[in-house]
Amino acid sequence: MLYLFVLLPLLGAFVAWIVPDNRYRPLVLPAVAIPHLLMAFYLAGNAPPPSPGGWIWLDPLGKIVLLCISMLFTVCAVYSVGYLAYRQERSNRVLCIGLLTCLSAMTLATMCQHLGLLWVAVETTTVTMAPLIYFNRNARSIEATWKYLLICSVGIALALLGLLFLAYSTHVAHLEATLLLSSLKASAKDLNQGWLHAAFIFLLVGYGSKMGLAPLHTWKPDAYGEAPGLVGALLAGGLVNCAFLAILRVYQLCLSSGKEIVFFQNALISLGLISMAFAAVFMAKQADFKRMLAYSSVEHVGILAIGLGLGKGALFGALFHLMNNGLTKGVLFLSSGNIHRSYGSKTTDLVRGALTRLPWSGGLFLAGFIAITGSPPFSPFISEYTIVSSAFIEGRYLVGGLFLVFLSIVFIGMALTVLPLVMGTPPADLEKSEYRDRLLTVGPPFVMMLIILFLGVWPPDALLQLLREGAALLEARP
């Protein structure tokens, strides 16, 4: 069944390739996404045993990432039907095929227990997303695409070097060379410590650049700013989570090695705080609201890294934040895409009074801003509170203090952009647009906003149990 789960989106990509009509091709996306989501929910409670050889298995960490990706993709797929109906001036064949192929690769990444196969899956997501960033086909989008490809490719090449060092450490220790996670964990204490240390550094830098940790984040503002909203949502909530899952696998190895975990945790905390600091600086008075969302993504991958670096109870918060950040970013990117289409601009010089011009999209963008800044009653408040309270409980007062300072600066910076954008009246000389709020373009992000509210008020026991099981794999005691 796990293989079918990976093949289903590929079959959808083939159907999208042979459908000749630009109007009907986007329907393939929800036709694949909805059964994919139903299968994800089923597998979350009824995961089959590992494949022969142990390369493929859906453990609790994979289930958490899979559920987030599948929910986000389904919402984006339904949204795409309404969005692409407005974009009939260009072919959507490459977009549909790329999205479905990327879904297949992301699904495979959640199941990989072999670090080499995981690297292939993550690299495939990088390649399939590149032409989607170029969807608008202008000079800025091609520049963003090249920057994305260049930096992510360098990062993923560094991760490959890390894997080679990891395999070589087994050779030096006179063990059978392997990249199977269970075998590496079992022999981690016997591996050559020098090569193991080098491997962890290269893997952290490589997957950290894919994740967008500062100062390796420079592809994000351009890629998120120029890509269509639904592509930005999947970059922020899908690809980032796959890269974070790869870092979680490396974290598991560090735990097993014993000696490397302190170094790895300190490196994660340092990179996390640097990411939050970068975001706080660049979000202040950011006129381009899509670039603002890119820096918000940098901030939240920093929060994830800090949660992982703190360990213990913060791991539960980090895993919950992985899901909260992905879903909330979906609301923000999809609603910002509607605003961008209606105004024909993404800068606050022209975009004002969105609540008047696009009441639903403006309202969703405002609600998403409140949620992503960690305000109650939305679920990011719970996950961020869990992480920062764990910092103080463990006596990491400097980390907790800086965390709160950067959160405050980010809140003020985002408010200075978002509030003028949604409040007031639209400029009098603004050109009329046919783009209006429609059920298919506001319904999906609205449903996702309700889910974020629901998770904040009444998180289901089944989800909490899954998060505890995931944290237990990282040796947490939530």
Side-chain angles (χ1 to χ4, degrees):
M1 187 173 183
L2 293 178
Y3 297 111
L4 176 65
F5 205 34
V6 176
L7 291 175
L8 175 65
L10 290 179
L11 177 63
F14 176 73
V15 174
W17 179 58
I18 61 175
V19 171
D21 197 311
N22 217 34
R23 293 170 299 172
Y24 300 120
R25 191 178 301 114
L27 294 174
V28 179
L29 294 172
V32 171
I34 292 171
H36 186 277
L37 179 62
L38 295 176
M39 291 172 70
F41 276 116
Y42 176 78
L43 290 175
N46 305 278
S51 66
W55 284 38
I56 300 292
W57 183 50
L58 196 57
D59 66 1
L61 294 174
K63 290 177 185 177
I64 294 167
V65 177
L66 177 65
L67 284 174
C68 180
I69 288 172
S70 193
M71 284 194 286
L72 179 64
F73 190 90
T74 302
V75 167
C76 290
V78 177
Y79 171 90
S80 69
V81 177
Y83 172 78
L84 293 175
Y86 285 100
R87 305 299 306 273
Q88 290 297 313
E89 77 275 10
R90 64 182 75 251
S91 171
N92 53 44
R93 176 174 276 120
V94 172
L95 182 75
C96 293
I97 294 173
L99 288 173
L100 290 165
T101 308
C102 186
L103 176 64
S104 176
M106 290 191 292
T107 304
L108 178 62
T110 63
M111 302 174 184
C112 289
Q113 297 293 318
H114 188 280
L115 297 184
L117 186 60
L118 175 61
W119 181 89
V120 171
V122 173
E123 175 66 2
T124 303
T125 64
T126 302
V127 173
T128 53
M129 273 292 174
L132 312 189
I133 297 171
Y134 183 54
F135 181 72
N136 288 319
R137 297 179 189 174
N138 53 41
R140 297 187 67 169
S141 64
I142 196 170
E143 179 186 347
T145 304
W146 277 113
K147 186 179 286 187
Y148 163 82
L149 271 177
L150 183 65
I151 297 175
C152 286
S153 298
V154 170
I156 212 74
L158 291 175
L160 180 61
L161 274 177
L163 291 179
L164 292 176
F165 292 159
L166 192 58
Y168 192 67
S169 69
T170 62
H171 175 73
V172 173
H174 304 292
L175 300 170
E176 183 182 355
T178 179
L179 289 176
L180 195 63
L181 185 61
S182 57
S183 301
L184 286 170
K185 285 168 64 178
S187 60
K189 289 183 179 176
D190 300 324
L191 300 181
N192 181 280
Q193 292 301 311
W195 286 107
L196 200 59
H197 189 73
F200 290 152
I201 292 174
F202 276 79
L203 287 168
L204 177 59
V205 173
Y207 288 125
S209 65
K210 174 79 175 175
M211 191 175 162
L213 282 167
L216 312 165
H217 67 288
T218 49
W219 61 271
K220 273 191 168 182
D222 292 291
Y224 287 22
E226 300 307 320
L230 68 99
V231 176
L234 290 171
L235 283 169
L239 270 63
V240 162
N241 285 350
C242 287
F244 187 63
L245 179 61
I247 288 181
L248 289 178
R249 301 304 188 199
V250 180
Y251 187 93
Q252 288 180 280
L253 271 181
C254 289
L255 280 173
S256 300
S257 72
K259 297 179 181 177
E260 295 294 331
I261 188 60
V262 175
F263 164 77
F264 201 71
Q265 286 179 322
N266 289 334
L268 284 169
I269 291 174
S270 301
L271 287 173
L273 289 174
I274 291 171
S275 299
M276 293 187 73
F278 263 83
V281 170
F282 285 97
M283 285 171 74
K285 291 189 175 182
Q286 177 61 248
D288 187 325
F289 57 84
K290 292 185 75 173
R291 291 177 74 90
M292 177 197 72
L293 296 181
Y295 286 113
S296 174
S297 178
V298 174
E299 175 211 355
H300 284 274
V301 296
I303 291 173
L304 290 172
I306 291 171
L308 189 58
L310 288 171
K312 299 184 178 178
L315 288 170
F316 179 87
L319 294 178
F320 195 23
H321 197 68
L322 177 152
M323 182 169 286
N324 296 331
N325 175 54
L327 299 180
T328 312
K329 280 297 189 308
V331 174
L332 284 165
F333 273 100
L334 296 185
S335 56
S336 70
N338 292 341
I339 295 170
H340 183 196
R341 281 297 114 202
S342 177
Y343 283 80
S345 173
K346 51 190 176 71
T347 67
T348 51
D349 296 334
L350 290 175
V351 182
R352 295 191 295 277
L355 279 172
T356 302
R357 189 175 174 96
L358 293 171
W360 285 95
S361 296
L364 285 168
F365 195 69
L366 181 61
F369 152 69
I370 294 170
I372 203 66
T373 50
S375 305
F378 299 104
S379 54
F381 168 75
I382 298 177
S383 50
E384 290 184 11
Y385 177 79
T386 304
I387 293 171
V388 73
S389 62
S390 295
F392 287 110
I393 290 170
E394 297 299 326
R396 310 293 291 268
Y397 300 113
L398 179 61
V399 175
L402 289 173
F403 188 100
L404 291 176
V405 168
F406 293 143
L407 274 188
S408 303
I409 297 174
V410 165
F411 180 86
I412 295 170
M414 284 193 79
L416 290 175
T417 300
V418 173
L419 295 181
L421 186 151
V422 298
M423 301 295 183
T425 56
D429 56 348
L430 189 65
E431 292 184 5
K432 291 185 178 180
S433 169
E434 295 181 357
Y435 198 94
R436 292 288 184 269
D437 283 339
R438 296 283 189 276
L439 179 61
L440 283 175
T441 53
V442 299
F446 179 74
V447 170
M448 195 140 59
M449 199 71 239
L450 289 180
I451 294 173
I452 296 161
L453 177 62
F454 177 72
L455 292 178
V457 176
W458 188 33
D461 290 338
L463 175 61
L464 294 179
Q465 180 59 30
L466 182 59
L467 293 171
R468 290 190 191 98
E469 291 173 5
L473 282 181
L474 302 169
E475 296 189 0
R477 299 289 185 269

